[in-house]
Amino acid sequence: MTFNEKYKDNAILLKTFDFAKKIVIYAELLESKRKFVVANQVLKSGTSIGANVKESQNAESKADFIHKLKIAMEEADEVEYWLFLCQEHKSYPDCLELLDDLSEILKILNKIIATTKGN
C-alpha cells in the first residue's frame, strides 16, 4: 500500500506529502548547483511540514492536535522564507510552483486550526 492509497481521504496529508516529494527534488537541484546550505534548510523545513501533520493524526487531545499543526505552520513559514530567498536570486532554480503549493497548504492549515479551535 502506498501513502496516497492509505491516506486518500485526508487532503492535508496528501498535499503535504506531495509537497515534501517536490521539496526533495528541489533540494537535490540546489545541491547540484552547489547551494548546499540553502538546500539543507529547504529540505529540513519543507519535509517537516508533512511529518508534523502526520504526527498530529495521533494527537492525545484537541490542544495537542492544534499544537502539532502549529508546528507544521512554523515549518511552512520557514520554508517559505527560504523559497522567497531562492526566488530573489537569479542563480537559483525557479521555485514559484513550490511557493504556490505552500500558499495552499498554509491556507488549509489555518482553516483546520481555526475550525478545531471553534469546536
Side-chain angles (χ1 to χ4, degrees):
M1 175 177 295
T2 67
F3 190 92
N4 286 350
E5 290 168 342
K6 185 171 183 178
Y7 297 106
K8 66 180 182 277
D9 296 327
N10 191 322
I12 190 61
L13 273 178
L14 293 176
K15 286 189 182 303
T16 55
F17 187 74
D18 286 342
F19 182 76
K21 291 189 303 187
K22 291 177 183 178
I23 282 291
V24 168
I25 293 166
Y26 187 73
E28 289 173 349
L29 183 57
L30 289 172
E31 287 178 351
S32 75
K33 296 185 176 292
R34 303 183 53 78
K35 313 292 187 191
F36 300 114
V37 173
V38 174
N40 189 44
Q41 294 294 334
V42 165
L43 183 64
K44 287 164 91 176
S45 56
T47 57
S48 184
I49 301 165
N52 282 290
V53 170
K54 177 74 171 82
E55 191 175 332
S56 76
Q57 304 304 293
N58 296 306
E60 295 178 11
S61 65
K62 183 163 62 169
D64 188 38
F65 177 74
I66 292 169
H67 175 72
K68 286 174 175 32
L69 290 183
K70 284 186 174 183
I71 293 171
M73 286 196 59
E74 289 171 6
E75 296 296 335
D77 284 340
E78 181 179 341
V79 77
E80 183 182 55
Y81 173 84
W82 291 110
L83 292 173
F84 278 142
L85 188 63
C86 291
Q87 194 66 18
E88 290 292 316
H89 290 282
K90 304 294 183 235
S91 64
Y92 281 68
D94 181 66
C95 60
L96 192 55
E97 181 183 338
L98 288 169
L99 285 165
D100 289 344
D101 291 348
L102 187 58
S103 176
E104 186 177 348
I105 289 168
L106 282 165
K107 287 177 188 174
I108 294 169
L109 288 172
N110 271 315
K111 182 68 173 172
I112 293 170
I113 290 168
T115 301
T116 305
K117 282 182 175 180
N119 291 334

